[in-house]
Amino acid sequence: MAPTYSLVDRLNMFATVNRRPGVAQQVVLALLMLAAVTLIAVLGSMAGQGNTDGWYAEVEKVYWSPPNSVFGPAWSFLYFLIALAGFLLWRKSWEIAATADSESMATAKTLFIIQLVLNGLWTPVFFAGYPHWGEAAWWAALVIIVLLVIVVLCLIFSALRHSKAAGALLVPYVLWLMFATTLNAGVILLN
């Protein structure tokens, strides 16, 4: 059943739907999104320091595991795409606030935040967790990355409803996450 709206609701929707964020608001939003994603990247990098050349260099890995030098550039590119997709989603949310789509936009924004949190958890659990918890850290990281893949897939489908560009920008990310999941599982199975 379609929702019914009063005349005031319809006027508010018209005003809100046609409202576009100003340039200053968009710049601030872009900087905030970039800062949030950069924070996740920096914290992950700190957790990996000493471990990638330490215990991780010693463990058996699947034959398709790329050299460590690939991960930095790959993740830098992916973090840029994540920030850009987040920017596009939040900018679009200003345009559709107080409409029937605002609830599904809220879902997309919530999924975006959840994936950032899960992304931020994986590296410390996998790399920094191993010296403290042993193989249990690898298993915990596997659970985290599988959840992350699921959340990002849901985010892509949710984002596509509002911004095809935002959804498309997240596709390389989820493909890389699926690949990274095989690397995580490979470490567990081979060691």
Side-chain angles (χ1 to χ4, degrees):
M1 176 188 271
T4 57
Y5 299 102
S6 70
L7 178 59
V8 172
D9 289 336
R10 290 181 190 275
L11 290 172
N12 285 337
M13 280 188 252
F14 178 80
T16 306
V17 168
N18 292 312
R19 184 179 147 234
R20 294 205 180 262
V23 173
Q25 288 175 308
Q26 290 186 55
V27 168
V28 168
L29 174 62
L31 291 174
L32 287 173
M33 199 57 63
L34 197 55
V37 172
T38 300
L39 178 65
I40 298 298
V42 167
L43 292 175
S45 176
M46 289 170 52
Q49 282 180 341
N51 293 306
T52 53
D53 294 329
W55 70 261
Y56 186 71
E58 306 289 322
V59 298
E60 188 79 21
K61 295 176 226 25
V62 291
Y63 68 88
W64 59 86
S65 184
N68 289 346
S69 61
V70 170
F71 291 100
W75 273 110
S76 296
F77 176 69
L78 293 171
Y79 281 130
F80 173 76
L81 295 180
I82 294 166
L84 184 55
F87 167 75
L88 292 173
L89 275 177
W90 257 263
R91 186 177 73 171
K92 190 70 172 175
S93 73
W94 281 331
E95 295 175 25
I96 66 169
T99 68
D101 279 343
S102 64
E103 209 171 296
S104 68
M105 176 56 82
T107 299
K109 292 186 331 186
T110 301
L111 289 168
F112 186 87
I113 292 167
I114 292 169
Q115 70 80 24
L116 276 183
V117 170
L118 290 170
N119 184 308
L121 286 173
W122 185 86
T123 304
V125 170
F126 184 83
F127 285 107
Y130 178 72
H132 302 289
W133 306 305
E135 292 179 20
W138 298 340
W139 284 97
L142 184 62
V143 169
I144 291 168
I145 201 166
V146 168
L147 289 173
L148 180 55
V149 167
I150 292 167
V151 169
V152 174
L153 284 170
C154 292
L155 172 59
I156 289 170
F157 289 111
S158 183
L160 285 171
R161 181 172 178 179
H162 306 289
S163 170
K164 290 189 183 355
L169 287 169
L170 295 168
V171 171
Y173 175 40
V174 79
L175 292 174
W176 180 266
L177 289 173
M178 290 174 181
F179 173 70
T181 302
T182 70
L183 302 179
N184 189 154
V187 167
I188 293 170
L189 294 174
L190 296 174
N191 292 281

